[in-house]
């Protein structure tokens, strides 16, 4: 069962969630847990990031990741779809499938869907369709959509590792702040519902 004292958050994602190339202690889910420890809304972060995973792989893996009850699921997927220029319609279908599986397996869990963006070189039409996949799912499934995960980090060489894709130790705290800004109100909502229950 989730901790009675702290809200349990499952961070389900790719290498960006796993903290590729970094000491695991500074992957953004861990940074968020530490940040929350000094607030009235502490969390237990479960890092279920898997490097190289596409949204299709995430859909196949979500049941396994949800074997234990959690309070909130943060879904970060699609970046590898974009790097492989996979069809945005398939992305939308897979993301919707992941959300539906979470709802089906753990209907009590709240969901935060993370907006991802595709590289500019794929063209404006692809970029728009890719971006819209997330907003379509969020609207139709009534889940919270947070802004782009790598806002203020993507495209800034000094904040990324040499591959230009994964944040470095300077960029990761910015990613953590991006996520916590969207996640904290949901954590507060869970604590509030517990106090009423």
């Amino acid at each position: 069962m989730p901790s009675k004292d702290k809200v349990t958050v499952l961070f389900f994602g790719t290498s960006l969630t796993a903290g590729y190339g970094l000491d695991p202690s500074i992957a953004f889910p861990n940074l968020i847990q530490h940040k929350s420890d000094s607030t009235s809304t502490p969390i237990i972060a479960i890092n279920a990031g898997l490097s190289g995973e596409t949204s299709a792989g995430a859909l196949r893996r979500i049941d396994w990741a949800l074997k234990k009850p959690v309070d909130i699921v943060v879904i970060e997927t699609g970046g590898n779809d974009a790097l492989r220029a996979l069809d945005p319609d398939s992305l939308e279908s897979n993301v919707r499938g992941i959300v539906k599986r979470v709802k089906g397996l753990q209907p009590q869990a709240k969901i935060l869907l993370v907006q991802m963006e595709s590289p500019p070189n794929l063209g404006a039409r692809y970029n728009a369709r890719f971006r819209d996949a997330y907003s379509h799912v969020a609207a139709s499934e009534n889940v919270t959509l947070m802004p782009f995960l790598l806002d203020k980090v993507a495209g800034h060489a000094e904040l990324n590792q040499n591959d230009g894709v994964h944040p470095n130790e300077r960029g990761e705290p910015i990613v953590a702040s991006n996520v916590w800004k969207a996640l904290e109100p949901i954590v507060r909502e869970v604590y509030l519902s517990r106090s009423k229950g």
Side-chain angles (χ1 to χ4, degrees):
M1 294 298 293
S3 168
K4 286 184 167 55
D5 301 317
K6 296 182 179 180
V7 167
T8 304
V9 182
L10 175 70
F11 291 90
F12 182 74
T14 66
S15 57
L16 294 170
T17 292
Y20 174 85
L22 301 171
D23 185 291
S25 67
I26 59 171
F28 79 77
N30 291 339
L31 293 180
I32 288 173
Q33 176 168 317
H34 292 312
K35 186 190 292 277
S36 76
D37 285 342
S38 62
T39 72
S40 60
T41 54
I43 70 165
I44 295 174
I46 300 171
N47 189 332
L50 181 62
S51 295
E53 187 173 68
T54 62
S55 62
L59 178 56
R60 290 191 293 270
R61 186 169 66 100
I62 187 62
D63 286 27
W64 175 84
L66 290 170
K67 283 186 174 180
K68 292 184 178 179
V70 297
D71 297 300
I72 302 169
V73 180
V74 178
I75 301 171
E76 174 268 305
T77 191
N80 291 310
D81 296 54
L83 292 176
R84 300 176 193 186
L86 300 179
D87 183 12
D89 289 342
S90 295
L91 169 67
E92 182 172 336
S93 175
N94 291 332
V95 173
R96 180 173 281 108
I98 293 166
V99 169
K100 286 184 177 294
R101 290 304 294 160
V102 174
K103 288 182 172 182
L105 291 167
Q106 297 206 29
Q108 84 293 344
K110 297 189 179 301
I111 298 170
L112 177 62
L113 179 60
V114 178
Q115 176 77 52
M116 297 302 296
E117 300 284 349
S118 52
N121 65 320
L122 293 176
R125 183 170 181 272
Y126 182 96
N127 295 154
R129 290 176 61 219
F130 187 91
R131 185 179 302 115
D132 288 347
Y134 295 90
S135 58
H136 291 166
V137 173
S140 64
E141 296 297 327
N142 192 30
V143 298
T144 302
L145 179 65
M146 72 159 273
F148 180 36
L149 178 73
L150 302 177
D151 184 42
K152 301 184 183 70
V153 176
H156 296 274
E158 72 279 7
L159 300 177
N160 287 279
Q161 298 175 45
N162 291 337
D163 61 13
V165 173
H166 297 93
N168 60 22
E169 63 278 358
R170 291 178 61 195
E172 201 72 357
I174 300 173
V175 176
S177 292
N178 290 343
V179 178
W180 184 237
K181 184 176 180 181
L183 178 60
E184 186 179 23
I186 302 174
V187 175
R188 288 188 180 282
E189 188 180 335
V190 174
Y191 274 110
L192 185 61
S193 67
R194 284 184 182 177
S195 68
K196 290 179 178 177

